[in-house]
């Protein structure tokens, strides 16, 4: 697997992916859009859901596209760099780049390693690395959100099933490792949401979350 990839290429994918993922689109969008610092609003999260609490749907859309797009761009660049390599080497490098971008979003160097929960970046990365898997995970989110009206539950379900979709859709196993890696981190970042879900206190989509 790794023996067909040069150390320089691996380092470039990991470091470049991380730096791309570290771009805090939520912070940039709210500041440039005149909505203040999203970290001082609502839950303090830098993702699109919290940006929406500013009342600016345009800024939330920019954040959503940016957070999803940076994972996709990292994967695409890795794919280009390995377009003349074998499929296993290509899958490995794209998985490394995508996983690193996801890690960058969760722990961005520019924000003292305090980032978002990674759902948009998760979907963007999956769609670019293995679009059938991304579509299946996205459909899972939509179905769960429609049935239960709880965004976090939909995201957690999609994250849990994504590695399974990789195998069911016969995608390379490095993509499964990447999906599992992202899924585990999504569960860790959603620990508070999981606690509220278990207590039946997680707010539904469209309902404002109670704040102190």
């Amino acid at each position: 697997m790794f023996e067909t990839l040069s150390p320089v290429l691996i380092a470039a994918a990991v470091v470049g992916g991380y730096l791309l993922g570290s771009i805090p689109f939520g912070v940039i969008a709210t500041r440039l859009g005149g909505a203040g610092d999203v970290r001082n609003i609502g839950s303090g999260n830098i993702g699109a859901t919290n940006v929406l609490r500013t009342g600016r749907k345009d800024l939330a859309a920019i954040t959503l596209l940016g957070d999803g797009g940076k994972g996709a761009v990292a994967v695409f660049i890795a794919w280009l760099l390995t377009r003349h390599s074998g499929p296993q080497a290509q899958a490995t490098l794209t998985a490394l780049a995508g996983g690193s971008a996801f890690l960058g979003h969760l722990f961005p160097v520019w924000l003292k390693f305090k980032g978002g929960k990674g759902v948009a970046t998760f979907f963007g990365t999956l769609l670019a690395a293995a679009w059938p898997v991304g579509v299946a995970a996205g459909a899972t989110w939509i179905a769960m959100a429609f049935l239960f009206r709880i965004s976090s539950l939909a995201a957690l379900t999609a994250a849990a099933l994504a590695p399974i979709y990789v195998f069911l859709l016969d995608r390379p196993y490095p993509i499964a490792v990447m999906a599992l890696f992202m899924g585990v981190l999504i569960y860790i970042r959603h620990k508070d949401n999981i606690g509220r879900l278990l207590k039946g206190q997680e707010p539904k989509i469209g309902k404002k979350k109670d704040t102190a």
Side-chain angles (χ1 to χ4, degrees), residues 89-183:
Q90 190 169 58
T92 299
L93 200 71
T94 55
L96 285 172
S100 297
F102 183 79
L103 195 65
H105 176 73
L106 266 58
F107 306 103
V109 64
W110 322 115
L111 301 180
K112 298 180 180 179
F113 306 104
K114 297 178 181 178
K117 294 183 178 180
V119 177
T121 307
F122 166 78
F123 283 116
T125 302
L126 273 185
L127 283 168
W131 69 264
V133 177
V135 169
T140 299
W141 190 97
I142 292 171
M144 291 296 292
F146 177 78
L147 288 172
F148 298 100
R149 308 296 298 172
I150 301 176
S151 179
S152 61
L153 179 61
L156 290 166
T157 306
L161 292 178
I164 298 173
Y165 290 148
V166 175
F167 287 109
L168 291 177
L169 295 168
D170 197 25
R171 298 293 142 168
Y173 76 86
I175 305 301
V177 174
M178 181 190 74
L180 180 61
F181 171 74
M182 293 192 296

